[in-house]
Amino acid sequence: IKKCTYLIYFKEPPSPTRTSTSKMASDTPCLRTASGPATSAEISNLMNLMQGMAADVASIKMDVADIRGNLETLGQRVSNVETKTGRLGGRMDDHEARLAKVEDDLAHQTRYTGELWDRVQDLEDHSRRNNIRVIGIPEGVEGSGLSDPTLLLSILRECLSLGETESIEVERAHRTLGPRPPPDQRPRPIIAHLLRFQDRERILRLAGELHWIMIFPNMSRELAAQRKLFTPARRRCMELGIRYVLQYPVVLRVTVNGRQLKFKDPEEAIRELNRIPDQNRREEDLQP
């Protein structure tokens, strides 16, 4: 674009005495440059430049309007997102509260279920308080015409040297469920239910002198597994030569120097018993 300076001016108003032709000529604007009157080409270039500038300004205005509209739309979207985020935050808080409540309920139910299971185990073991398990009686001896309670009572009286005057009543007796084993295998145990708990305790106390049959208390598998965990502690007590008793359900009582110790945890019992010096070893060390 050619750089030039244009001056547009009007002449002074003509006097009234001039003709109309001169008046019309004087009213026509004159376009001048610094070097003189502007040519038609320069005027055309100027008009084109002004039209292009007008078009650019109009385009800029449209773009600004579009940007303004987009900004308004974006602002509305941001507002909607913030509103939804606030709702989601409230829902998240609600879900977290519900989850915490569910966890508390689950912990309570787990604890309550454990307590119920302990009660069921206690009831089952109490129902077996008068039971004994007899191992070693051959298969087929029941075929002599005697019922199982009568047969077991006769065997107990013969093996334990019980007098005829001692009243031991066996309510029921039967072998454990399962197929009958071959003659070369171990016979099935006999489960007997006594009428009185004192008879059971007396039979268990006298059963330590037997050799060809063994008599044990009858209890649930879970309780038997828990009591079995105290086997190392009981062996340690026998090695130390101290008195002990495994009480119901799973409590090991030990007497050390006239002082009684009670253990419910087998590992704790082993740790405490290992701290006790071995009396037998001490006596061997004292010998010359």
Side-chain angles (χ1 to χ4, degrees):
I1 302 173
K2 185 178 179 181
K3 295 183 180 180
C4 58
T5 303
Y6 299 94
L7 300 176
I8 302 176
Y9 65 92
F10 293 90
K11 294 181 179 180
E12 293 182 358
S15 59
T17 58
R18 293 182 179 179
T19 59
S20 60
T21 304
S22 61
K23 182 180 181 181
M24 292 177 60
S26 63
D27 292 339
T28 304
C30 295
L31 185 61
R32 289 181 174 276
T33 63
S35 59
T39 63
S40 60
E42 292 175 346
I43 295 174
S44 177
N45 292 335
L46 179 60
M47 296 300 295
N48 294 333
L49 179 60
M50 294 179 65
Q51 291 177 358
M53 292 176 63
D56 293 340
V57 170
S59 177
I60 291 173
K61 289 183 178 179
M62 294 178 61
D63 293 339
V64 170
D66 294 339
I67 294 174
R68 186 177 298 173
N70 293 334
L71 288 176
E72 292 178 356
T73 305
L74 183 61
Q76 294 178 358
R77 291 183 179 181
V78 171
S79 300
N80 295 334
V81 169
E82 290 178 352
T83 304
K84 293 181 180 180
T85 303
R87 294 178 181 175
L88 290 177
R91 291 181 180 178
M92 288 295 295
D93 296 339
D94 188 18
H95 290 330
E96 290 179 357
R98 291 183 180 180
L99 182 60
K101 186 177 182 303
V102 169
E103 291 178 352
D104 294 340
D105 293 342
L106 180 59
H108 174 71
Q109 294 296 333
T110 302
R111 183 171 58 255
Y112 185 64
T113 303
E115 294 176 357
L116 290 180
W117 176 251
D118 294 339
R119 293 182 182 180
V120 170
Q121 290 296 116
D122 186 67
L123 289 175
E124 182 179 358
D125 292 324
H126 270 80
S127 66
R128 302 186 182 192
R129 290 181 70 244
N130 296 353
N131 292 3
I132 57 174
R133 180 184 292 261
V134 184
I135 299 175
I137 299 179
E139 296 276 352
V141 295
E142 299 92 339
S144 59
L146 299 176
S147 61
D148 291 342
T150 305
L151 173 64
L152 180 62
L153 184 58
S154 62
I155 293 176
L156 293 178
R157 288 185 182 278
E158 181 180 355
C159 297
L160 300 178
S161 301
L162 297 175
E164 295 294 336
T165 58
E166 297 185 11
S167 59
I168 296 179
E169 299 183 20
V170 180
E171 288 189 341
R172 56 184 180 273
H174 60 85
R175 292 190 182 269
T176 56
L177 299 178
R180 183 172 180 175
D184 57 342
Q185 294 186 6
R186 182 181 301 177
R188 293 172 295 173
I190 294 179
I191 307 297
H193 181 76
L194 305 177
L195 179 61
R196 288 176 290 273
F197 176 76
Q198 292 80 2
D199 296 339
R200 169 186 177 271
E201 292 297 311
R202 182 169 48 180
I203 290 173
L204 292 176
R205 187 169 57 253
L206 297 175
E209 303 175 358
L210 299 179
H211 299 285
W212 64 279
I213 65 172
M214 294 179 291
I215 302 177
F216 301 97
N218 185 32
M219 59 189 67
S220 62
R221 293 182 179 180
E222 291 78 8
L223 182 59
Q226 294 178 7
R227 293 171 69 93
K228 188 177 180 180
L229 296 177
F230 281 90
T231 301
R234 296 167 61 186
R235 291 178 180 174
R236 182 59 180 167
C237 290
M238 289 186 289
E239 293 175 357
L240 297 175
I242 59 179
R243 296 177 57 185
Y244 73 92
V245 59
L246 186 60
Q247 295 181 341
Y248 178 85
V250 191
V251 179
L252 180 65
R253 290 185 178 271
V254 181
T255 304
V256 181
N257 298 328
R259 184 168 57 96
Q260 289 189 355
L261 303 177
K262 182 175 66 174
F263 302 102
K264 295 183 179 181
D265 186 5
E267 297 181 357
E268 181 184 1
I270 285 292
R271 288 195 302 267
E272 294 296 331
L273 292 174
N274 289 334
R275 298 177 182 176
I276 300 176
D278 192 347
Q279 300 293 337
N280 299 329
R281 182 175 300 177
R282 178 179 299 180
E283 293 178 357
E284 292 178 359
D285 296 339
L286 293 176
Q287 293 180 0

